[in-house]
């Protein structure tokens, strides 16, 4: 039965340098969360994954990867690896410019995730970075998450725009 196994899990999806990969990642993530009984997290998680993978595909050259994991405590981590080791641009405040099509990705991540961060890393001999975010208190359908922090701005470090360095 979905959502009844408390063991942590992790999935990785390697993607090509192709804008269609964002859609593939969103749909794959929806399936993963649904089979694990985390349907209540799907909408926000899809948005976050689309922003992270969209940035990786749009702003870097080469392949990328989506990584999704859920800890024993129910924290859902969504991350994107890309081949560019340069730090991501800091999130900019939301502006009411309706004609602006870009530049809001990390601001959305900062607003919707409990915490986010990035770190340089190596993968298969290459260099790159891993940009990630977390949703605390992931819960199965019908379950309850005790003590889960609110998503209204995330942690103090997150609200200040400070990337939190932690191991992936």
């Amino acid at each position: 039965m979905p959502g009844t196994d408390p063991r942590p899990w992790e999935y990785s999806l390697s993607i090509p340098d192709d804008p269609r990969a964002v859609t593939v990642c969103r749909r794959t993530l929806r399936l993963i969360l649904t089979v694990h009984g985390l349907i209540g997290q799907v909408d926000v998680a899809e948005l976050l994954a689309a922003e992270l993978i969209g940035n990786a595909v749009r702003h870097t050259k080469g392949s990328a990867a989506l990584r999704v994991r859920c800890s024993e405590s129910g924290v859902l981590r969504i991350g994107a690896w890309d081949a560019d080791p340069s730090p991501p641009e800091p999130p900019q405040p939301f502006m009411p410019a309706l004609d602006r099509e870009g530049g809001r990705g990390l601001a959305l991540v900062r607003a919707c995730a409990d915490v986010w961060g990035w770190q340089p890393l190596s993968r298969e001999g290459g260099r790159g970075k891993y940009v990630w975010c977390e949703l605390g208190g992931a819960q199965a359908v019908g379950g309850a998450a005790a003590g889960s922090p609110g998503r209204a701005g995330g942690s103090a470090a997150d609200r200040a725009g400070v990337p939190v360095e932690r191991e992936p």
Side-chain angles (χ1 to χ4, degrees):
M1 180 173 185
T4 59
D5 190 352
R7 293 179 298 181
W9 48 262
E10 181 175 325
Y11 294 86
S12 294
L13 177 63
S14 295
I15 60 171
D17 184 13
D18 183 337
R20 295 173 291 190
V22 176
T23 301
V24 171
C25 287
R26 286 179 57 226
R27 290 182 180 172
T28 302
L29 179 61
R30 177 173 285 273
L31 178 62
I32 291 167
L33 296 180
T34 299
V35 299
H36 282 281
L38 301 175
I39 195 71
Q41 298 285 347
V42 168
D43 292 335
V44 172
E46 269 190 337
L47 172 69
L48 296 171
E51 294 301 332
L52 295 176
I53 290 296
N55 284 345
V57 170
R58 193 176 305 104
H59 300 297
T60 66
K61 300 290 182 215
S63 61
L66 172 69
R67 184 173 168 190
V68 182
R69 73 177 180 179
C70 190
S71 70
E72 284 184 38
S73 63
V75 174
L76 184 65
R77 178 176 277 201
I78 302 164
W81 172 87
D82 65 52
D84 182 359
S86 302
E89 291 292 322
Q92 301 300 313
F94 283 111
M95 300 300 246
L98 299 177
D99 59 339
R100 198 173 95 189
E101 290 187 26
R104 291 182 260 204
L106 285 179
L108 283 172
V109 171
R110 188 170 105 186
C112 295
D114 292 321
V115 67
W116 76 278
W118 77 277
Q119 60 195 86
L121 48 89
S122 298
R123 183 172 186 244
E124 299 174 11
R127 295 176 35 132
K129 69 178 166 291
Y130 180 64
V131 182
W132 55 268
C133 62
E134 291 181 349
L135 296 173
Q139 57 191 23
V141 173
S148 61
R151 254 183 295 297
S155 70
D158 184 44
R159 286 189 300 276
V162 177
V164 176
E165 299 292 330
R166 286 198 243 166
E167 292 298 315

